[in-house]
Amino acid sequence: MRLCMICLLVAAAGLLGGCVEAEPMKSDTHDPVSLTVWQTYWDMESGAEDYAALHKKVDAVVYFAVSYDENGVPYVPEEVRAMAAVQCGKRTKNYLSFTNDIVGTHRVEKDRALLWRLLGDDASVERTVEGIVALAAEFDVHGVELDYENFAKDEKLLRRYLVFIERLYAACTQNHLELRIVLEPSVPFDAGFVKGPAYVVMLYNLYGKHSGPGAKADGAFIDKTIAKMEALPEPHAVAFATGGCLWQDYGPFGLMCGERRFITAREAVHLAAEHHAATERDAASAALHFRYAVGGHTTEVWYADSETLNAWITRAAQRGVTSVSIWRLGGNTDLGKIRTH
């Protein structure tokens, strides 16, 4: 009886804790992928350094970004004009990106009310399409990128968005412009997206300022999202993010939390060295993380280096993805080590 009880306890322990751990995420050789990178207007100098290290592997550059003023008029930062004035060469395509951010006295990111002004009826859709195509022609780019966000939870706005991208694609085709559309992973991919544009799904911000500590992506998140993308018309692409995030004094369930902010990989490396923090690589995400305490506060940092990005790209390529975008140039330490095959 006693022996049987021991056997049962051992078996129970095996069921509860004896599961074989999943193999850690890591980079490996894979089928070739094309590579697109974002260059932001606020980090041109550092971005140029990253581009110099990576440019032989880059197929396209996106100039980020055109936004709007309080009246819904497109606003182009002077830095974007400067970026567009420097052509990347015949081999590298370039795109002009449009966001639904509002600039001015009160900056608003991913503003849903702005989208209603831009897309609310057929007349406003036509004006928005004409404005986008006109700017693309002015800057003599290969194509347009649409990075409107924060609309999917409003079903009526989602329907207006679908009408808009169909008309935008038609106008781009007529004007010999390519169109790539960036989508959040929470968007319903089966909503009825028009065939023709390239759809780029953001595989990042799994963890971030909205949550507790963790990586911007992990294997399970990548697998789940790529599987959902089968509902989208092809061609498909995915986007991964450099850098990471820090959380100060994060308590259970977020009941206590101090500063939370995104940081670059360069900032993360500096913080680890400054505070003599031991850095570890997470098996589920290949991301690096560390903790340090100073002035009575504890801070946890998670970030991606080139090994992290290569592991994520490997995972995506193994699941049939042939095009990858990297958000973003600037603030990295070893971006030139990214592999495209």
Side-chain angles (χ1 to χ4, degrees):
M1 181 72 168
R2 183 178 180 183
L3 182 60
C4 292
M5 183 62 70
I6 292 174
C7 292
L8 288 171
L9 290 172
V10 170
L15 288 172
L16 293 173
C19 296
V20 178
E21 293 186 3
E23 184 177 349
M25 281 195 69
K26 60 182 180 181
S27 62
D28 201 348
T29 57
H30 53 76
D31 290 339
V33 297
S34 63
L35 183 64
T36 298
V37 293
W38 277 280
Q39 170 65 295
T40 64
Y41 72 85
W42 63 84
D43 202 2
M44 285 181 60
E45 184 175 346
S46 180
E49 294 175 5
D50 280 347
Y51 182 75
L54 189 63
H55 74 278
K56 291 183 179 180
K57 305 171 186 176
V58 173
D59 298 286
V61 176
V62 180
Y63 305 138
F64 192 91
V66 178
S67 49
Y68 295 86
D69 66 17
E70 290 91 341
N71 298 315
V73 177
Y75 170 78
V76 186
E78 288 303 316
E79 294 87 348
V80 169
R81 294 185 183 277
M83 284 189 285
V86 180
Q87 298 298 314
C88 299
K90 293 181 179 180
R91 174 184 171 275
T92 306
K93 293 181 179 180
N94 52 4
Y95 294 81
L96 188 61
S97 184
F98 292 78
T99 74
N100 56 313
D101 293 351
I102 296 179
V103 298
T105 307
H106 301 289
R107 181 177 178 86
V108 184
E109 294 184 351
K110 312 308 177 188
D111 189 64
R112 193 178 296 177
L114 171 63
L115 288 183
W116 271 114
R117 292 200 295 276
L118 297 175
L119 315 178
D121 55 37
D122 289 349
S124 59
V125 164
E126 290 304 317
R127 286 193 299 269
T128 303
V129 168
E130 289 174 3
I132 289 173
V133 171
L135 276 175
E138 177 184 341
F139 285 92
D140 192 26
V141 290
H142 290 91
V144 166
E145 176 185 270
L146 189 67
D147 189 16
Y148 290 177
E149 299 178 30
N150 190 31
F151 58 82
K153 292 182 180 179
D154 184 330
E155 292 186 9
K156 292 183 179 179
L157 183 55
L158 173 60
R159 289 197 292 271
R160 294 304 307 166
Y161 177 84
L162 295 173
V163 170
F164 165 63
I165 62 172
E166 184 171 358
R167 296 184 184 179
L168 178 59
Y169 176 66
C172 285
T173 301
Q174 185 176 358
N175 288 273
H176 309 290
L177 293 167
E178 296 183 10
L179 175 62
R180 49 183 265 137
I181 295 176
V182 179
L183 296 174
E184 297 167 279
S186 59
V187 169
F189 299 145
D190 59 353
F193 288 87
V194 63
K195 182 176 177 57
Y199 291 97
V200 185
V201 177
M202 299 184 294
L203 294 186
Y204 48 86
N205 290 347
L206 176 63
Y207 293 90
K209 293 192 297 182
H210 64 285
S211 70
K216 287 189 175 182
D218 62 21
F221 173 62
I222 293 170
D223 292 350
K224 179 181 177 180
T225 308
I226 290 176
K228 286 171 55 182
M229 287 170 58
E230 293 181 4
L232 278 172
E234 294 184 355
H236 297 162
V238 298
F240 296 114
T242 63
C245 194
L246 68 74
W247 297 260
Q248 186 184 73
D249 299 331
Y250 189 86
F253 308 108
L255 296 178
M256 295 177 58
C257 192
E259 180 185 22
R260 282 180 277 191
R261 64 181 175 89
F262 292 119
I263 61 172
T264 66
R266 190 174 299 171
E267 290 175 301
V269 169
H270 174 76
L271 285 171
E274 179 183 10
H275 299 288
H276 306 286
T279 302
E280 298 181 2
R281 192 174 299 278
D282 176 56
S285 65
L288 294 170
H289 61 100
F290 60 89
R291 300 180 69 181
Y292 62 89
V294 62
H297 299 283
T298 299
T299 299
E300 186 166 351
V301 176
W302 286 69
Y303 73 100
D305 66 354
S306 63
E307 171 59 25
T308 312
L309 291 165
N310 282 329
W312 292 344
I313 293 170
T314 297
R315 188 71 163 236
Q318 289 173 342
R319 279 142 186 80
V321 171
T322 59
S323 181
V324 171
S325 296
I326 299 294
W327 172 267
R328 61 178 175 82
L329 297 179
N332 298 290
T333 58
D334 58 356
L335 203 63
K337 295 181 181 178
I338 285 182
R339 295 205 316 269
T340 56
H341 54 80

